[in-house]
C-alpha cells in the first residue's frame, strides 16, 4: 500500500550504501538507536565493550573519536564527557566515597579543587595538597584513594616529579589520575614513561584545547588501560547521563588530523616568545618547563624526551607593576585576546594573582602578578611585536 505523505517523509527509502567511503567517518546523531528485532533488543550488551543501544551510551561517531584519543594517549578504554571539567568530575564522583582522602598538587586546575572542596563539605572527603616538586610532601594515610597529577601545571607550569609521585602512589595502592591536557598525548606517554615504564591509572583530557583546536567546542575524555577501572567509570558515566553531541564530536574528529602539526607549531612559537620574554626588564620571572630556570625542568627533560612543551608561557611582573599597570598591559594587547582556555588558533592572555591560588608556600615563584600567554597559530614575530607595543605603555 502506498504510504501517506506524512509517513513517507519520515520513513525515507534511501539508505547510504555500505561501500561508500569518505575522508571523514559518517556522522551519527542519535538519541534513539533502532534495534533490528527483539533478539537484538534482548541481546544488547551496553555494559560490555562498545555496544549500541541508546544515544547516551555512544554511537559509532563517539566511539571513533574515543578510540583515537585513547590511541594517541597510549590507553585502551575511553569515555567522552561534555567538557574537560565534567570528565574531571566523573573521576572524582566515581572514585571517592565518604571518609576517603584525595591528594592534589598545589598548582591544580582551579575548578577541580572547587569540585573536591564541594565533595569535602558534603561527604567528608579529605582534600590534601602536595607540592608537585617534592614527593615527600605527598604523605598518604591508609584512607587515601586518589592522587591527582598535572604535567605541567597549567598556570605556573611546574613539571612535577611524575616518576617519584606515581611510584609512591603505586606503593600505597592509590589510584593515579593525570590531567593530560598540556601533554595532549603528544608530549609524553602517560601510560608508559620513564626508564621503568611507569603508567598512571587514568588520564583526563580537556579535548576543548588541542584536539578541538578551534576555541569553539567543549569536550573531555577519560582514558584508562585497566578494564575494571574503566567499567567503574563507565557505569558512573551511564547513570549520570554524561554524553556528548555527535556534531561536536565530528568537529573534534576533523581537527585531530592537524593536531600534532598545530601542537608542534605552537610549541615552537612559544619557545621563540620565551627566549624574547626572558630579555625584557619588566619581568621578574618567565615560566616554561623547557627553560632551565623553571621549577621541574629536570623532570620535564626526563619525561618529554623530544623536547615537547605545548603552547603556554607565563611571566611574573616585577612587584613595582601593580594590578592597574598589569591590567593596562593586558588591555593594550591587540593580537592576544583576553580570555580563558588555550590550544586554539587565537593567542590568549590571562592575568592571575597567585596569592589567592596557592595553599602551600611557593618560594620558587617570584613576588608579583602573573600573566599567562597561550600561543595560537599567528606568526611569532607578530605576537612579539604585540607584547612589545603593550610593554611600551609602561615607559610612556
Ligand atoms: C588543565 C586543564 N584541565 C581541564 C580543563 C577543563 O576543560 P574544559 O574547559 O573543557 O572544562 C582546563 C580548562 O581550562 C584546563 O586548563
Amino acid at each position: 500500500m502506498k504510504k501517506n505523505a506524512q509517513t513517507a517523509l519520515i520513513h525515507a527509502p534511501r539508505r547510504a550504501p555500505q561501500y561508500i567511503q569518505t575522508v571523514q567517518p559518517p556522522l551519527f546523531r542519535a538519541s534513539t538507536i533502532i534495534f533490528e528485532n527483539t533478539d537484538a533488543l534482548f541481546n544488547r550488551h551496553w555494559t560490555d565493550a562498545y555496544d549500541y543501544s541508546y544515544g547516551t551510551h555512544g554511537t559509532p561517531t563517539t566511539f571513533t573519536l574515543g578510540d583515537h584519543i585513547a590511541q594517541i594517549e597510549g590507553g585502551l578504554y575511553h569515555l567522552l564527557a561534555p567538557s574537560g571539567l565534567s570528565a574531571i568530575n566523573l573521576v572524582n564522583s566515581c572514585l571517592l566515597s565518604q571518609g576517603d582522602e584525595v591528594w592534589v598538587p598545589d598548582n591544580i586546575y582551579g575548578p577541580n579543587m572547587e569540585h573536591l572542596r564541594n565533595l569535602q563539605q558534603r561527604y567528608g572527603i579529605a582534600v590534601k595538597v602536595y607540592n608537585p616538586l617534592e614527593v615527600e610532601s605527598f604523605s598518604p594515610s591508609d584512607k587515601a584513594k586518589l592522587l591527582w597529577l598535572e604535567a605541567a601545571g597549567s598556570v605556573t607550569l611546574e613539571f612535577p616529579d611524575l616518576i617519584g609521585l606515581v611510584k609512591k602512589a603505586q606503593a600505597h595502592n592509590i589510584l593515579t589520575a593525570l590531567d593530560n591536557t598540556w601533554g595532549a598525548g603528544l608530549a609524553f606517554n602517560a601510560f608508559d614513561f620513564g626508564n621503568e615504564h611507569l603508567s598512571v591509572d587514568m588520564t583526563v583530557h580537556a579535548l576543548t584545547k588541542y584536539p578541538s583546536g578551534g576555541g569553539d567546542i567543549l569536550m573531555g575524555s577519560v582514558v584508562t588501560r585497566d578494564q575494571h577501572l574503566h567499567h567503574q567509570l563507565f557505569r558512573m558515566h551511564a547513570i549520570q547521563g554524561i554524553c556528548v553531541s555527535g556534531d561536536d564530536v565530528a568537529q573534534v574528529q576533523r581537527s585531530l588530523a592537524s593536531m600534532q602539526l598545530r601542537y608542534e607549531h605552537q610549541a615552537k612559537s612559544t619557545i621563540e616568545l620565551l627566549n624574547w620574554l626572558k630579555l625584557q626588564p619588566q619581568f621578574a620571572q618567565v615560566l616554561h618547563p623547557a627553560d632551565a630556570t623553571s621549577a621541574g625542568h629536570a623532570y620535564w627533560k626526563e619525561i618529554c624526551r623530544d623536547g615537547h612543551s605545548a603552547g603556554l608561557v607565563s611571566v611574573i611582573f616585577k612587584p613595582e607593576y601593580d594590578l592597574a599597570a598589569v591590567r593596562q598591559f593586558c588591555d593594550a594587547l591587540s593580537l592576544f585576546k583576553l580570555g580563558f582556555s588555550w590550544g586554539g588558533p587565537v593567542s590568549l592572555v590571562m592575568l592571575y594573582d597567585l596569592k589567592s591560588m596557592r595553599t602551600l608556600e611557593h618560594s620558587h615563584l617570584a613576588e608579583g602578578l602573573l600573566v599567562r600567554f597561550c600561543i595560537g597559530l599567528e606568526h611569532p614575530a607578530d605576537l612579539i611585536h604585540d607584547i612589545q607595543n603593550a610593554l611600551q605603555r609602561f615607559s610612556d
Side-chain angles (χ1 to χ4, degrees), residues 211-223:
S212 148
D216 54 354
I217 306 254
L218 288 153
M219 203 175 292
S221 61
V222 182
V223 166

Side-chain angles (χ1 to χ4, degrees), residues 343-359:
V346 173
S347 290
L348 298 173
V349 64
M350 185 48 64
L351 64 166
Y352 297 92
D353 183 1
L354 287 177
K355 284 199 253 354
S356 60
M357 296 168 64
R358 296 288 177 264
T359 309

Side-chain angles (χ1 to χ4, degrees), residues 112-373:
N112 187 358
M113 188 61 151
E114 289 284 311
H115 185 240
L116 289 168
R117 291 274 182 233
N118 182 280
L119 294 180
Q120 180 173 37
Q121 272 168 16
R122 291 191 298 145
Y123 305 116
I125 288 161
V127 183
K128 302 276 186 176
V129 180
Y130 70 91
N131 176 346
L133 303 161
E134 284 174 18
V135 178
E136 313 76 62
S137 66
F138 165 48
S139 50
S141 77
D142 55 5
K143 293 193 172 140
K145 287 281 154 50
L146 179 65
L147 170 73
W148 271 102
L149 300 151
E150 278 187 41
S154 62
V155 176
T156 38
L157 299 162
E158 300 93 345
F159 204 92
D161 180 358
L162 210 53
I163 293 178
L165 288 160
V166 168
K167 272 183 162 176
K168 189 159 180 178
Q170 287 176 351
H172 287 81
N173 257 328
I174 297 166
L175 287 169
T176 49
L178 170 77
D179 185 323
N180 207 15
T181 308
W182 181 91
L186 299 172
F188 61 94
N189 184 345
F191 296 97
D192 183 1
F193 59 90
N195 292 333
E196 295 165 60
H197 300 285
L198 291 167
S199 169
V200 297
D201 292 300
M202 72 211 94
T203 57
V204 163
H205 190 164
L207 307 182
T208 307
K209 317 298 181 203
Y210 292 110
S212 148
D216 54 354
I217 306 254
L218 288 153
M219 203 175 292
S221 61
V222 182
V223 166
T224 65
R225 289 188 69 82
D226 177 327
Q227 197 174 24
H228 174 72
L229 177 60
H230 171 70
H231 267 265
Q232 256 181 291
L233 292 160
F234 180 92
R235 293 213 68 103
M236 182 58 79
H237 184 265
I239 62 177
Q240 288 189 347
I242 297 172
C243 53
V244 291
S245 135
D247 290 278
D248 285 353
V249 169
Q251 300 260 23
V252 177
Q253 176 65 44
R254 192 171 186 272
S255 294
L256 277 192
S258 62
M259 180 168 97
Q260 185 160 4
L261 301 177
R262 288 184 279 105
Y263 188 90
E264 286 174 3
H265 182 83
Q266 286 171 328
K268 197 161 158 266
S269 300
T270 307
I271 298 279
E272 233 176 290
L273 263 90
L274 161 73
N275 291 333
W276 180 83
L277 289 166
K278 281 182 66 111
L279 303 175
Q280 307 315 306
Q282 292 86 351
F283 306 132
Q285 209 174 358
V286 181
L287 308 169
H288 185 287
D291 187 70
T293 64
S294 274
H297 171 71
Y299 300 131
W300 168 80
K301 223 168 153 181
E302 200 174 0
I303 304 277
C304 301
R305 294 206 167 150
D306 298 326
H308 286 301
S309 53
L312 298 178
V313 59
S314 296
V315 293
I316 299 182
F317 275 85
K318 286 184 174 161
E320 61 257 40
Y321 298 105
D322 61 7
L323 183 60
V326 176
R327 282 178 60 173
Q328 195 183 14
F329 165 76
C330 293
D331 289 339
L333 291 163
S334 149
L335 292 177
F336 282 92
K337 305 297 179 193
L338 187 62
F340 292 105
S341 207
W342 35 296
V346 173
S347 290
L348 298 173
V349 64
M350 185 48 64
L351 64 166
Y352 297 92
D353 183 1
L354 287 177
K355 284 199 253 354
S356 60
M357 296 168 64
R358 296 288 177 264
T359 309
L360 307 178
E361 175 270 337
H362 47 269
S363 56
H364 62 286
L365 297 170
E367 284 293 314
L369 291 161
L370 183 144
V371 164
R372 183 184 73 178
F373 299 107

